[in-house]
Amino acid sequence: MDDVERMGSVVSAWSELEGEGTQDQADTFMAEVKAIDGNLRQGVVLIGEIKNRHTRQLLSILRQISTLQSSIFALPGALSSLESDLRVKGGFSHLQRLHGMAFAYGASVIEVVRRKEFERFFLQRAQAMAEIMAKFSSSEKKRRQVYRGESLSLLPFATQGMDLQAPSVEISTFGTEEGPYEMTREDIEGRV
């Protein structure tokens, strides 16, 4: 039985004893009424504390809702500003850079291999050219020696410029230092 029902039964029992009960019975009823009243008062205080706590929570939540509404109100302007910036500036430049990074990496790897192959090709052709020109120069030297020995010595006068050495070619290459990357065409074809 809760306190309200107890209070109802005590009040109805008291009214039945009205004027006929003893002092002890009145004191017992009064003590019980005071106990019930104390319990009810504690209940009311507890209900008040709960209500106050919920009111504080409600006010806090309403403040948060108000802040969010203010933010939402400012959002369309910020979004339209962002949209116009994206159209004018061409989007996020760092994202575009990241988008092209994979292509740039692949192009760089291929460029390293292409340069190595060109260097090898260039050195081979330069070496072949140097060998061909050395052969021409050697045969011209022999021809001039033969001329000097057979014909020049028979002339009764001195000829100027006929005793000059045969032209020669010296080929040197620059920019053929070894790079930091050791990659070949087979490395690329193996990864693709």
Side-chain angles (χ1 to χ4, degrees):
M1 166 183 307
D2 65 351
D3 288 334
V4 175
E5 291 175 355
R6 271 181 57 203
M7 179 66 102
S9 66
V10 168
V11 168
S12 67
W14 186 315
S15 61
E16 290 175 6
L17 290 177
E18 201 171 304
E20 298 176 7
T22 63
Q23 185 62 34
D24 284 340
Q25 287 176 332
D27 289 341
T28 304
F29 284 136
M30 188 55 82
E32 193 160 339
V33 167
K34 283 184 180 179
I36 292 171
D37 180 57
N39 286 341
L40 289 175
R41 286 177 188 267
Q42 287 176 352
V44 168
V45 168
L46 181 62
I47 290 171
E49 288 174 356
I50 291 171
K51 182 225 171 248
N52 289 340
R53 185 172 58 235
H54 285 278
T55 302
R56 279 193 301 273
Q57 286 177 345
L58 177 68
L59 290 175
S60 173
I61 290 170
L62 287 174
R63 276 190 220 109
Q64 289 175 353
I65 290 172
S66 173
T67 303
L68 290 174
Q69 282 179 328
S70 298
S71 298
I72 289 172
F73 179 75
L75 194 58
L79 286 176
S80 63
S81 172
L82 176 63
E83 184 178 4
S84 67
D85 284 351
L86 288 175
R87 286 186 181 160
V88 170
K89 296 178 183 174
F92 296 103
S93 59
H94 60 281
L95 290 178
Q96 288 177 338
R97 189 173 141 242
L98 288 174
H99 181 69
M101 194 176 289
F103 172 78
Y105 176 76
S108 297
V109 168
I110 290 172
E111 181 66 14
V112 166
V113 172
R114 188 199 65 77
R115 287 182 183 191
K116 281 186 170 279
E117 287 184 356
F118 176 78
E119 182 180 310
R120 188 171 38 86
F121 170 80
F122 187 82
L123 289 175
Q124 287 174 349
R125 296 303 177 257
Q127 182 66 32
M129 191 182 300
E131 289 172 3
I132 290 171
M133 297 309 285
K135 287 180 186 177
F136 284 138
S137 183
S138 175
S139 88
E140 179 64 19
K141 282 181 187 177
K142 287 179 187 174
R143 188 176 206 175
R144 288 182 183 198
Q145 282 177 348
V146 168
Y147 170 78
R148 207 175 302 142
E150 291 178 358
S151 301
L152 190 61
S153 60
L154 298 177
L155 292 175
F157 54 87
T159 57
Q160 289 184 345
M162 296 302 280
D163 60 345
L164 296 175
Q165 290 202 1
S168 64
V169 174
E170 183 177 310
I171 296 179
S172 59
T173 57
F174 300 99
T176 58
E177 296 84 25
E178 281 295 317
Y181 307 107
E182 294 294 326
M183 297 184 88
T184 63
R185 182 182 290 262
E186 291 79 25
D187 293 334
I188 291 176
E189 289 173 353
R191 292 173 197 220
V192 176

